C-alpha cells in the first residue's frame, strides 16, 4: 500500500498535478512579472544637438537615424557602436531593413547602406521621396512615399524604379476642421506619414488627406481607400481579415481588409496619433487622452483601459505598443516607459529612463530588451539619447 501511494504521488508531481508543483510555477511567473526595470545601456554624448528618432532592431543591431543625417548602428546587447553612415541630411522617418540592407529617406531621397558595416550601396535621388519607407524581402522591393503624391517601388538591390502609384489625383475633400493646406509642408502636394504591410498589401497613411490607401505590393494597383474624419499620423496594422488605424478625429477604426469598408470605430477622448498592435483576439493602442486601450478585434468592445501618470498634464502617447512577456510595453511623451499586464491591464512596472526627457517614440525590441529614444524637454531639462531597457 505504501509503495502504491508513493507511485501515485510521484506520478502527480510528474504531470504537474500536485499542489507543490503548481505553486512553484506560479511563484516563478509572479517573480518574473515583478522583476525591476533598469537601463541596461545608453548612448548620449553622440546625440547632443543630434536627436535620434524611432529605433529599428534587426540582426542584433539597433539602428537610428538622426537630425544631422547620420545612420548609427549599435550592438543591441551591450550598446557598443558598430558603424556610422553620414548621409548629410536629417533622417526623421523610421528606417527599414530586409536583413541585407538598411534603407532611409531624407530630402536627398531614398538611400541604401549595407547592414553589416554601413557601407553606401545606392541612392534613389528624387528629393520628393523624403517620406516613410518599407522593405518587403518577398517582393525584393523597397517602398517610399513622396510628397508629390506618389508611392514609389524601388528594386532593393539596385535602387531602380519599378512602379509608382498615384494618391494625389483622387484626393478627397478635406473633412471639416482638418484643412489639408495646414497639414502639408512648404512646397509639397501631399504628406504621406506611414507605411505598413501584411506582405502582399501596402497600407499607406496620408496625413493631410485623412485617409489610408491599400495598394497591391507587387504592381502598385489601388485596392481601396478609406477617409477618416481627421489627420492620420500613425501606422496601420493588419490581420488576415482586418485593418486597424487611428485618427486625430479621436477614433480608432477597424476596416475590412478586402474592401476597406468600416466595420466599427472606437471613440477616445483625444486624438489617436500612434498605430496599434494585435494578438489573436485583441488590438492595443494608445491615445493622447493618456490611456492605452485593449479592444476586441471582432466588434470593438472594450476589454480594459490603462491610465498613465500625468503629474502636470495628461500625457500624449505616440508609441506603438510592443507585446512581450505577456505584457504591453509603450513609451509616453511625459517620459516614462510602462509594462502592463496583457490580460488585465494592470500595471507591472514603469520606469523613467532619462530624467527630464520626453519619449515621443515607438520602442523596438529584440524579444527581451526594449529600445527607446529620448529628446530634451527644454534647454535645461533632459537630453536626446538611445537607451536599452531590461529587467533584473
Amino acid at each position: 500500500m505504501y509503495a502504491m501511494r508513493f507511485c501515485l504521488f510521484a506520478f502527480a508531481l510528474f504531470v504537474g498535478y500536485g499542489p507543490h508543483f503548481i505553486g512553484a510555477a506560479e511563484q516563478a511567473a509572479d517573480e518574473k512579472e515583478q522583476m525591476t526595470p533598469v537601463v541596461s545601456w545608453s548612448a548620449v554624448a553622440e546625440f547632443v544637438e543630434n536627436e535620434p528618432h524611432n529605433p529599428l532592431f534587426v540582426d542584433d543591431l539597433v539602428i537610428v537615424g538622426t537630425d544631422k543625417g547620420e545612420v548609427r548602428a549599435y550592438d543591441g546587447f551591450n550598446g557598443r557602436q558598430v558603424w556610422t553612415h553620414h548621409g548629410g541630411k536629417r533622417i526623421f522617418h523610421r528606417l527599414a531593413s530586409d536583413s541585407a540592407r538598411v534603407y532611409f529617406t531624407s530630402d536627398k531621397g531614398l538611400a541604401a547602406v549595407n547592414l553589416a558595416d554601413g557601407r553606401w550601396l545606392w541612392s534613389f535621388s528624387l528629393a520628393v521621396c523624403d517620406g516613410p519607407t518599407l522593405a518587403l524581402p518577398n517582393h525584393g522591393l523597397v517602398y517610399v512615399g513622396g510628397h508629390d503624391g506618389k508611392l514609389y517601388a524601388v528594386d532593393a538591390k539596385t535602387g531602380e524604379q519599378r512602379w509608382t502609384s498615384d494618391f494625389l489625383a483622387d484626393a478627397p475633400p478635406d473633412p471639416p476642421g482638418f484643412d489639408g493646406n495646414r497639414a502639408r509642408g512648404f512646397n509639397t502636394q501631399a504628406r504621406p506619414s506611414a507605411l505598413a504591410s501584411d506582405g502582399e498589401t501596402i497600407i499607406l497613411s496620408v496625413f493631410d488627406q485623412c485617409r489610408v490607401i491599400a495598394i497591391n505590393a507587387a504592381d502598385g494597383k489601388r485596392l481601396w481607400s478609406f477617409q477618416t474624419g481627421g489627420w492620420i499620423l500613425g501606422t496601420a496594422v493588419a490581420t488576415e481579415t482586418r485593418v486597424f488605424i487611428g485618427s486625430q478625429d479621436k477614433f480608432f477604426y477597424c476596416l475590412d481588409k478586402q474592401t476597406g469598408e468600416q466595420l466599427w470605430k472606437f471613440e477616445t477622448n483625444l486624438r489617436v496619433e500612434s498605430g496599434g498592435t494585435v494578438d489573436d483576439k485583441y488590438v492595443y493602442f494608445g491615445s493622447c487622452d493618456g490611456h492605452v486601450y485593449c479592444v476586441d478585434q471582432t466588434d470593438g468592445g472594450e476589454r480594459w483601459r490603462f491610465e498613465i501618470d500625468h503629474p502636470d498634464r495628461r500625457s500624449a502617447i505616440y508609441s506603438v505598443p510592443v507585446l512581450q512577456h505577456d505584457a504591453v510595453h509603450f513609451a509616453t511623451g511625459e517620459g516614462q516607459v510602462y509594462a502592463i499586464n496583457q490580460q488585465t491591464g494592470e500595471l507591472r512596472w514603469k520606469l523613467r529612463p532619462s530624467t527630464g526627457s520626453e519619449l515621443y517614440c515607438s520602442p523596438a525590441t529584440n524579444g527581451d530588451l526594449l529600445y527607446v529614444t529620448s529628446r530634451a524637454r527644454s534647454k535645461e531639462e533632459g537630453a536626446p539619447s538611445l537607451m536599452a531597457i531590461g529587467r533584473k
Side-chain angles (χ1 to χ4, degrees):
M1 181 64 69
Y2 175 80
M4 181 178 292
R5 288 178 178 172
F6 177 81
C7 290
L8 289 172
F9 178 71
F11 179 75
L13 288 177
F14 177 75
V15 299
Y17 185 75
H20 176 74
F21 182 91
I22 294 176
E26 290 178 345
Q27 181 179 359
D30 289 343
E31 288 176 352
K32 186 176 182 179
E33 288 187 9
Q34 299 303 321
M35 294 175 75
T36 303
V38 295
V39 176
S40 296
W41 58 261
S42 63
V44 181
E46 55 265 58
F47 297 119
V48 174
E49 298 183 355
N50 187 27
E51 183 181 326
H53 302 287
N54 285 313
L56 171 73
F57 182 83
V58 57
D59 289 357
D60 295 337
L61 296 177
V62 57
I63 312 172
V64 294
T66 76
D67 280 353
K68 291 184 177 180
E70 297 174 342
V71 182
R72 305 184 71 96
Y74 297 81
D75 185 298
F77 297 96
N78 59 34
R80 178 182 62 86
Q81 183 177 326
V82 178
W83 54 259
T84 299
H85 173 82
H86 299 275
K89 294 289 186 176
R90 184 177 189 242
I91 302 168
F92 174 75
H93 288 281
R94 194 173 207 150
L95 314 173
S97 179
D98 53 14
S99 293
R101 293 162 288 272
V102 176
Y103 308 95
F104 62 95
T105 62
S106 68
D107 62 12
K108 294 170 64 175
L110 172 68
V113 296
N114 189 53
L115 174 64
D117 56 15
R119 175 173 45 90
W120 178 89
L121 297 175
W122 54 256
S123 294
F124 183 67
S125 301
L126 285 180
V128 295
C129 291
D130 60 352
T133 187
L134 175 73
L136 290 183
N138 58 321
H139 290 283
L141 295 174
V142 183
Y143 308 86
V144 58
H147 65 243
D148 59 348
K150 293 180 181 179
L151 177 68
Y152 292 80
V154 175
D155 187 285
K157 292 182 179 180
T158 66
E160 297 178 359
Q161 180 178 313
R162 293 299 180 221
W163 54 255
T164 64
S165 181
D166 185 280
F167 57 89
L168 183 63
D170 69 336
D174 298 330
F178 290 91
D179 180 7
N181 290 321
R182 290 194 296 116
R184 290 184 287 272
F186 175 73
N187 198 31
T188 62
Q189 296 176 286
R191 184 180 168 185
S193 52
L195 285 169
S197 179
D198 61 359
E200 299 301 330
T201 302
I202 301 293
I203 309 294
L204 170 67
S205 302
V206 187
F207 184 82
D208 61 300
Q209 296 178 9
C210 305
R211 67 170 173 164
V212 287
I213 304 170
I215 299 166
N216 185 286
D219 59 16
K221 180 181 178 180
R222 171 78 64 84
L223 302 176
W224 52 259
S225 72
F226 176 83
Q227 187 180 41
T228 70
W231 296 326
I232 297 176
L233 181 65
T235 307
V237 60
T239 67
E240 290 185 1
T241 60
R242 305 193 170 201
V243 171
F244 303 95
I245 189 70
S247 170
Q248 285 196 12
D249 65 7
K250 305 179 185 179
F251 285 96
F252 190 79
Y253 292 82
C254 174
L255 312 177
D256 183 281
K257 188 172 132 182
Q258 297 302 316
T259 66
E261 177 187 359
Q262 179 183 309
L263 300 179
W264 53 258
K265 62 180 181 179
F266 182 94
E267 186 173 13
T268 71
N269 294 316
L270 280 175
R271 65 193 188 277
V272 182
E273 298 281 25
S274 64
T277 192
V278 296
D279 59 19
D280 292 340
K281 295 183 178 181
Y282 302 100
V283 57
Y284 308 82
F285 62 94
S287 168
C288 290
D289 66 7
H291 291 86
V292 166
Y293 296 86
C294 172
V295 303
D296 193 293
Q297 294 179 21
T298 303
D299 58 12
E302 182 178 323
R303 188 188 189 196
W304 53 254
R305 68 176 66 186
F306 175 85
E307 184 176 20
I308 65 174
D309 294 341
H310 45 89
D312 302 313
R313 54 183 172 82
R314 288 195 177 275
S315 181
I317 299 174
Y318 280 69
S319 174
V320 177
V322 171
L323 304 181
Q324 65 182 35
H325 304 310
D326 198 32
V328 183
H329 302 77
F330 60 94
T332 66
E334 184 269 332
Q336 295 190 88
V337 179
Y338 289 81
I340 55 181
N341 187 293
Q342 190 171 336
Q343 308 305 320
T344 66
E346 297 176 344
L347 177 68
R348 283 194 179 173
W349 55 257
K350 60 184 176 181
L351 175 69
R352 188 178 301 280
S354 175
T355 303
S357 297
E358 299 175 329
L359 302 180
Y360 285 99
C361 69
S362 290
T365 183
N366 67 357
D368 189 28
L369 295 173
L370 287 172
Y371 305 100
V372 297
T373 55
S374 69
R375 74 183 194 187
R377 181 170 297 159
S378 66
K379 291 183 178 180
E380 294 76 29
E381 289 186 282
S385 69
L386 169 65
M387 296 171 285
I389 298 172
R391 299 180 301 168
K392 68 176 183 179

